[in-house]
Amino acid sequence: MTGELLVGVVGSTAYGLATEGSDEDRLGVYIAAPAEVFGLSGPSVLTGSRVTTHPDLTMHELYKFATLALKGNPTVSELLWLDSYVVATDAGRELIAIREAFLSTPCVRGAYGGYALQQSRKLLSRHEAGKEGFSADTARRTAKHGRHCMRLLRQAHGLLTTGRLTIDMSARRDELFAAGELAARAPEAFSALFDKEIAALDAVDSVLPERPDSGRVEALLVELRTAALR
């Protein structure tokens, strides 16, 4: 791995939803050395990620990061919308400057709403499978899962209506924790609530374009690759 462009604290800490047992997760983007990109391992280098622990850190190569962000990947996208960074180079700030170029209505609906819906269905099936002896630990994990499903919907609503991603959800902390507890205690009720929220999200009149500005993103990637040659 060569030059880091951006590194930030993400996950529950960034959302304002951390609890006593929460870990601090970090996410970042780096640009691989030209010799690695131009060599025989180029394709695997461009789609590479590096994961370390203590602290928990996931780093995506610039190409992988950009392609995931263009698809609306929620975990990757949030890196461009943080209030502060552990590392923020000039090149990293250029990525932040074009963050709106990654956005599109279909990708936000599909990535945020679709992923949240998929996960809510898993919650229900987990409950069905574990009705007998549903442990306290499973209940805690289910509650966390439930609140993050709802958090995704709230963030998607904000993106579609304002064109901006709100990371800090602490203003909705009580609401999101209540949804999580509902998921653990009464999954059918949570599922009904979730279906209602999904329907409301589908009805939102989006301010986002139908397609991301991939040309603008590509131009910046070419610029950063060219600069790396120097």
Side-chain angles (χ1 to χ4, degrees):
M1 182 174 72
T2 187
E4 296 177 341
L5 306 184
L6 282 177
V7 179
V9 176
V10 295
S12 295
T13 302
Y15 308 142
L17 303 178
T19 61
E20 186 176 343
S22 296
D23 297 323
E24 182 180 277
D25 299 318
R26 295 185 180 189
L27 177 68
V29 54
Y30 68 93
I31 186 167
E36 294 180 322
V37 174
F38 297 149
L40 294 175
S41 300
S44 62
V45 169
L46 291 172
T47 56
S49 298
R50 308 287 167 83
V51 180
T52 58
T53 56
H54 308 299
D56 294 333
L57 171 64
T58 299
M59 297 290 296
H60 296 307
E61 210 285 327
L62 177 61
Y63 171 84
K64 182 175 184 178
F65 177 87
T67 53
L68 288 173
L70 283 168
K71 294 175 183 176
N73 182 286
T75 303
V76 165
S77 299
E78 68 187 57
L79 181 63
L80 299 178
W81 296 85
L82 299 175
D83 291 331
S84 62
Y85 293 88
V86 178
V87 174
T89 65
D90 288 344
R93 284 188 283 270
E94 288 188 67
L95 274 175
I96 296 170
I98 67 162
R99 60 191 181 186
E100 291 88 356
F102 291 92
L103 300 175
S104 67
T105 297
C107 287
V108 168
R109 290 195 192 280
Y112 282 78
Y115 180 75
L117 182 59
Q118 178 188 51
Q119 295 305 307
S120 72
R121 296 296 180 255
K122 286 184 178 181
L123 285 179
L124 188 58
S125 63
R126 178 193 295 169
H127 238 282
E128 288 298 317
K131 278 184 175 178
E132 298 297 329
F134 195 66
S135 70
D137 181 61
T138 301
R140 282 193 295 272
R141 287 187 285 110
T142 300
K144 178 180 179 180
H145 205 161
R147 65 178 172 263
H148 283 296
C149 284
M150 197 62 68
R151 182 260 308 166
L152 282 166
L153 293 188
R154 292 289 177 261
Q155 289 181 314
H157 188 278
L159 268 171
L160 293 174
T161 56
T162 71
R164 299 182 62 81
L165 176 60
T166 299
I167 301 298
D168 184 356
M169 303 296 288
S170 56
R172 292 184 174 270
R173 183 181 173 93
D174 290 346
E175 173 196 345
L176 296 176
F177 270 78
E181 292 304 317
L182 185 65
R185 184 182 70 253
E188 292 83 3
F190 175 82
S191 183
L193 171 64
F194 196 86
D195 288 346
K196 180 181 177 181
E197 295 291 340
I198 280 285
L201 184 65
D202 289 342
V204 167
D205 187 13
S206 175
V207 301
L208 298 179
E210 283 300 301
R211 296 181 181 83
D213 191 348
S214 54
R216 189 179 179 194
V217 173
E218 184 172 44
L220 178 58
L221 264 61
V222 171
E223 178 185 327
L224 296 180
R225 296 280 184 209
T226 302
L229 285 171
R230 308 191 194 105

